[in-house]
Amino acid sequence: MTGQNHENESQGPSLKTKLKAWWEGYDLSARNRRAADEAPPPTSAPAPAKPAVAQPGVNRWGKPLWSANRIQVAEQIWGQGFSTPGGADHVPYLVRPLGLNPAMSVLDLSAGLGGTSRAMAAKFGCWVTGLEASPLLAKAGMERSFMAGLAKQAPIEAYDPENFSFARRVDAVFYKEGMFTVAGKDQMFDGIEVHLKPRGHVLITDYILAPGAKLDDLTAWHQHEPQEPHLWTKEEFANAFAQRNLDLRIAEDITDTHRGLILTAIQRLVEHMEKHHLDHETKMNVMDEVELWVRRVNAMERGLRCFRFYALKPPE
């Protein structure tokens, strides 16, 4: 799967074609495949003016980012307890640089439904506090931690990334593909540095603007993102670490891995949907969710990259 929206005769129907065929309820005959490709894809409503100040848990058009139904759809795509690419099997690879162990405390700044926080706690025995910008996701995440017997070892709480604060210092901070939506990245970096213990670790995976790429190349993606993107370059991230005396050890492009997780999960979803009937609300959420991630994959071919940054705080 390439993430392209056009059908290739040698490869069979495209992902969008299969999804549209499923949506309309017809078989993928040659005639219907062509009609589906020529028809306009399902689209979200036109973007009204965004609110002056971004609010946690609300999209740029003033509506809730999440609903119970969308949570159900996300878990179907990414796995139980996850709302973004990379399930429990992916977590050890992702957090490997942190060197987690049972003596460590971790702050997860993009907890979502808490799947990554619980995976870290269960796999490595560390103590994780998950913070999530969406109150609805945070509540659902805490319920899942309670059900997993990890309410104390991996609690999930709501917070405002634009006004980041925490009550104590930790051994490690982890932030998974969330900082690109934060306008005040400097206050976020200041908070990370303040809340890290001496010799503490920070690991950030995030979307960045590739060298030589222009925001104009990403207009379609930028305009349709639920939260307004505030992209930094690799150099801006490196400068933010350096300005706070955080020793940047890894700046790694993980776009291919990230893209693969997305495409594999969506393909599984397509196969699942071909065998199940869904109500209208669920269909709408499935289409919205798939379009969100297909747009991101397409943006990765035009200058959006996913990077992993790892840094150390020096001893006092």
Side-chain angles (χ1 to χ4, degrees):
M1 188 182 302
T2 65
Q4 296 293 328
N5 291 334
H6 300 291
E7 183 172 325
N8 184 308
E9 292 293 332
S10 64
Q11 295 177 349
S14 68
L15 174 62
K16 179 174 286 188
T17 302
K18 295 177 74 175
L19 281 167
K20 185 166 180 60
W22 162 72
W23 174 269
E24 298 293 347
Y26 51 70
D27 293 331
L28 284 173
S29 67
R31 178 174 58 84
N32 285 331
R33 285 203 303 272
R34 182 175 299 278
D37 277 339
E38 292 174 352
T43 57
S44 303
K50 61 178 181 288
V53 179
Q55 299 294 325
V58 176
N59 69 19
R60 65 204 293 185
W61 307 294
K63 297 182 179 180
L65 276 166
W66 289 90
S67 66
N69 192 272
R70 186 187 173 193
I71 289 174
Q72 181 182 10
V73 168
E75 288 190 298
Q76 180 63 51
I77 299 174
W78 311 118
Q80 188 68 30
F82 289 86
S83 54
T84 58
D89 293 341
H90 181 63
V91 172
Y93 155 79
L94 202 60
V95 304
R96 185 181 302 148
L98 295 175
L100 298 177
N101 63 63
M104 295 177 68
S105 57
V106 183
L107 193 57
D108 180 355
L109 297 178
S110 52
L113 291 168
T116 300
S117 298
R118 288 187 294 275
M120 286 190 284
K123 175 72 175 180
F124 303 104
C126 52
W127 296 79
V128 186
T129 299
L131 300 184
E132 168 53 43
S134 165
L136 183 62
L137 274 189
K139 180 181 178 181
M142 187 62 208
E143 291 172 352
R144 285 156 175 75
S145 288
F146 179 82
M147 294 297 293
L150 294 169
K152 292 185 178 180
Q153 195 172 353
I156 311 299
E157 306 168 5
Y159 85 122
D160 181 0
E162 299 290 354
N163 297 280
F164 171 50
S165 63
F166 195 60
R168 59 187 183 276
R169 295 202 292 181
V170 295
D171 297 295
V173 172
F174 177 59
Y175 202 170
K176 182 179 184 292
E177 294 115 50
M179 193 178 284
F180 79 102
T181 66
V182 177
K185 288 182 176 57
D186 284 320
Q187 63 82 27
M188 176 61 76
F189 263 96
D190 288 341
I192 289 173
E193 191 278 330
V194 166
H195 295 302
L196 267 182
K197 296 178 182 178
R199 297 186 176 87
H201 310 253
V202 55
L203 178 61
I204 298 172
T205 63
D206 204 22
Y207 299 122
I208 70 167
L209 188 63
K214 299 179 180 179
L215 284 175
D216 289 347
D217 299 328
L218 301 173
T219 299
W221 166 76
H222 193 283
Q223 290 180 343
H224 288 88
E225 274 293 307
Q227 295 173 275
E228 183 175 3
H230 302 277
L231 290 182
W232 269 6
T233 63
K234 176 183 175 182
E235 289 71 24
E236 286 175 304
F237 266 99
N239 289 337
F241 285 110
Q243 289 168 7
R244 291 154 184 87
N245 199 28
L246 297 171
D247 182 11
L248 183 60
R249 299 289 185 89
I250 296 173
E252 175 189 12
D253 189 336
I254 60 171
T255 305
D256 289 344
T257 298
H258 187 67
R259 183 195 293 113
L261 290 170
I262 296 170
L263 296 179
T264 299
I266 292 179
Q267 182 60 50
R268 285 198 304 264
L269 176 71
V270 171
E271 294 168 357
H272 175 81
M273 293 302 106
E274 289 173 345
K275 303 174 183 178
H276 295 80
H277 172 75
L278 301 180
D279 60 59
H280 180 71
E281 180 185 2
T282 302
K283 283 185 177 182
M284 292 295 293
N285 276 308
V286 167
M287 295 303 295
D288 286 345
E289 202 71 16
V290 170
E291 285 185 343
L292 169 70
W293 291 100
V294 168
R295 278 195 299 268
R296 288 181 178 179
V297 168
N298 288 338
M300 290 173 202
E301 299 170 358
R302 294 174 171 86
L304 187 71
R305 311 302 293 169
C306 187
F307 259 68
R308 176 167 61 173
F309 299 95
Y310 167 71
L312 287 171
K313 184 174 181 176
E316 289 182 341

